[in-house]
Amino acid sequence: MDVFFRSVVPALPLFFEGMLVTLQLCAIGFFGGVVVGAILTFLGFLSPPTRWLSVAIVEFFRATPVYVGLVWVAYVWPELFGWPGTAYEAACVALVMQTGAYLSETFRGGILAISKGQREAASALGISPTAAAVRIVLPQVLINSIPPLINQLVVVFKSSTVVSVIGVQDLLFQANAVANKYYEPLEPLTFVALIYIAIITLVSVSARGIEKRLRARFQ
Amino acid sequence: MNDLASLLDLSFAWEYRHLLIRGLMVNIQVFAMSAAIAVLLGLVLASAMLRGPGWSRGLTTGFAEFMRNIPEYVLIIWMFIALPFLLTRLTGTRISFGAMPTAVVALGLVFSAYFAETFRAGFQATSPGQTEAAAALGMMPRQITGRILIPQVLLRLAPEMLNVSISLFKTTSILSLIGIQDVMYQASTMSGQLTRPVPIYTGAAIMFVGTIIIASLVVRLITAKLHERMN
């Protein structure tokens, strides 16, 4: 307890700063991933060549471990494309691509799960294909995607812990810094581990709650 | 374009393939050991969740929830750095863990939770009618378990077990962060010495993607064969 007050309490502002970086990174990774996932899904349905492009990107980022993807984006992309310039940008890009690849599979599955009969019924009622896609298929896909989306948020949080390796000053980075500063790893690491568990448990429990409520409403 | 080709020159990664492959062997080794722990512990957890007394159900569900919600990297660092510190303080003698055993146990614990979920769902989905029908045909209980239930559960679970195993294998990529000489460790040492990050890290990424794709193809082939034989 003594060590706790000596090493963790004075470092609280640092932890708070790290927490903000983690939250920011996860928000960018998640929402950017939703956009990239939607684009990849759209490309997948557009035409055969774009479909191959989308499948290649999705399969590559789904099969690459997040840490490998992170290091690859951080050290290989700058030499190939001259971008991203900073570790933070690289972390954002890696998380966005990873999340986008997973979500594109979710969206694609969601679209395919809407039965063809619904589109046929819409066209029988004289609704144009575009209107049917926007007003009939899309809302259902979005509602069905909510639980997997929140689960993906859990994955983003867990993945974000490796960004400290390339020097991004997130929550875990600060925990290690504090541990090295005082030569007391136990309290800061335990404290930060508990914060991660609390956040992720909160997200995954609320995911299950929302899923249950949606099921109750739509079935 | 020429610049790009010389930057990406994968023959460079090929030249140093023995180092990357030596690293990959370490990944596969840790994967195999932690998968063994995870599957066995997962079976125990799943049967405790389904058949155990009330307190064991709560305990195992809580344990699985905890393990699924802690980031693997945080757990590995905590077990490698903080836990020996705690034990040293509690016992008064200096205790430290090797990196390999720590990683194997940490990954085994985390993925036992995922396997437990998979097994639980699989056992719950077997219909009781099958057992009754087999018994009506005069099969012994052991025959029913061995020839009716287990093959179906395994076949049904194969895709999900493959997914969990793939995640486990992917997670072994962080081993280098506690000093284990895996693919990424070799890659970062090499790119530090040779200052050629592009081909080496791309080669390392290809090794992961290649291993995962080949392993999934093999498993899918085997399950398809089994399906054919059963129907």
Side-chain angles (χ1 to χ4, degrees):
Chain A
M1 226 40 217
D2 183 40
V3 185
F4 182 82
F5 285 111
R6 202 147 34 85
S7 66
V8 174
V9 173
L12 280 179
L14 268 183
F15 286 142
F16 184 70
E17 234 170 78
M19 185 77 224
L20 285 186
V21 173
T22 294
L23 288 178
Q24 214 175 17
L25 206 63
C26 291
I28 294 175
F30 180 72
F31 290 108
V34 171
V35 173
V36 169
I39 295 172
L40 286 171
T41 313
F42 178 69
L43 288 179
F45 283 108
L46 194 60
S47 69
T50 58
R51 192 169 74 88
W52 281 109
L53 180 72
S54 142
V55 168
I57 294 175
V58 168
E59 288 304 316
F60 181 78
F61 277 97
R62 264 161 47 95
T64 318
V66 63
Y67 173 53
V68 179
L70 178 76
V71 171
W72 194 65
V73 169
Y75 300 143
V76 174
W77 281 29
E79 299 222 6
L80 287 183
F81 316 121
W83 184 79
T86 64
Y88 182 76
E89 279 173 17
C92 289
V93 173
L95 284 179
V96 165
M97 290 313 289
Q98 175 100 0
T99 313
Y102 276 105
L103 286 182
S104 132
E105 278 293 287
T106 307
F107 294 150
R108 205 179 68 92
I111 291 172
L112 293 178
I114 307 293
S115 76
K116 213 174 154 197
Q118 297 211 13
R119 244 162 295 168
E120 287 167 358
S123 83
L125 289 169
I127 301 171
S128 77
T130 329
V134 173
R135 303 195 47 184
I136 295 172
V137 177
L138 198 61
Q140 298 186 70
V141 172
L142 287 182
I143 287 170
N144 287 337
S145 300
I146 289 173
L149 273 172
I150 303 178
N151 280 329
Q152 192 61 40
L153 191 54
V154 170
V155 177
V156 174
F157 258 105
K158 289 165 97 175
S159 304
S160 80
T161 53
V162 295
V163 299
S164 57
V165 178
I166 58 165
V168 177
Q169 310 198 339
D170 72 334
L171 185 57
L172 192 58
F173 181 93
Q174 303 293 7
N176 275 321
V178 171
N180 292 334
K181 189 176 166 196
Y182 296 96
Y183 300 107
E184 293 281 1
L186 181 58
E187 284 79 8
L189 285 183
T190 309
F191 182 66
V192 163
L194 290 178
I195 295 180
Y196 274 113
I197 294 168
I199 294 176
I200 295 173
T201 306
L202 197 73
V203 175
S204 66
V205 167
S206 64
R208 256 171 283 155
I210 290 173
E211 187 169 8
K212 210 179 263 175
R213 226 187 284 169
L214 283 175
R215 272 218 190 121
R217 186 177 297 178
F218 289 99
Q219 278 173 5
Chain B
M1 206 57 219
N2 229 340
D3 286 351
L4 194 69
S6 71
L7 254 180
L8 195 58
D9 193 7
L10 276 178
S11 67
F12 206 72
W14 180 248
E15 211 174 293
Y16 290 91
R17 63 189 180 280
H18 53 281
L19 281 178
L20 286 176
I21 289 173
R22 196 193 294 165
L24 186 67
M25 287 303 140
V26 174
N27 285 84
I28 291 176
Q29 206 182 329
V30 172
F31 165 77
M33 289 190 287
S34 43
I37 294 179
V39 169
L40 289 179
L41 190 57
L43 275 174
V44 173
L45 290 174
S47 33
M49 282 173 186
L50 289 175
R51 304 230 167 88
W55 59 267
S56 83
R57 268 176 227 195
L59 201 67
T60 46
T61 312
F63 173 81
E65 182 76 37
F66 179 85
M67 282 301 165
R68 270 183 293 139
N69 288 338
I70 187 164
E72 294 88 350
Y73 182 38
V74 173
L75 181 67
I76 288 183
I77 291 192
W78 192 86
M79 281 178 64
F80 188 56
I81 299 173
L83 184 60
F85 218 81
L86 177 68
L87 294 177
T88 303
R89 203 181 284 170
L90 287 180
T91 59
T93 47
R94 229 184 111 70
I95 292 175
S96 68
F97 298 147
M100 277 283 251
T102 310
V104 167
V105 171
L107 293 181
L109 287 176
V110 168
F111 283 87
S112 73
Y114 291 98
F115 277 116
E117 244 345 275
T118 310
F119 293 141
R120 194 183 58 88
F123 284 125
Q124 270 180 334
T126 345
S127 87
Q130 301 242 355
T131 317
E132 286 159 18
L137 288 169
M139 286 176 96
M140 309 295 285
R142 202 193 308 153
Q143 280 179 309
I144 299 176
T145 312
R147 300 183 61 174
I148 308 282
L149 296 182
I150 288 184
Q152 291 192 65
V153 168
L154 274 185
L155 264 189
R156 193 178 312 119
L157 293 188
E160 195 44 39
M161 283 178 74
L162 175 66
N163 285 341
V164 178
S165 307
I166 288 176
S167 319
L168 173 55
F169 183 69
K170 283 164 72 177
T171 311
T172 65
S173 66
I174 59 175
L175 296 176
S176 65
L177 302 180
I178 55 167
I180 296 175
Q181 309 195 341
D182 72 335
V183 174
M184 292 308 281
Y185 180 94
Q186 303 287 6
S188 72
T189 320
M190 267 190 275
S191 83
Q193 283 167 359
L194 307 165
T195 60
R196 292 291 299 276
V198 177
I200 290 171
Y201 280 123
T202 307
I206 290 175
M207 292 201 100
F208 272 102
V209 176
T211 311
I212 288 168
I213 290 176
I214 292 170
S216 352
L217 280 180
V218 170
V219 173
R220 259 178 232 157
L221 222 84
I222 295 172
T223 33
K225 273 259 159 65
L226 284 176
H227 259 297
E228 235 169 60
R229 195 188 289 177
M230 287 200 42
N231 298 329

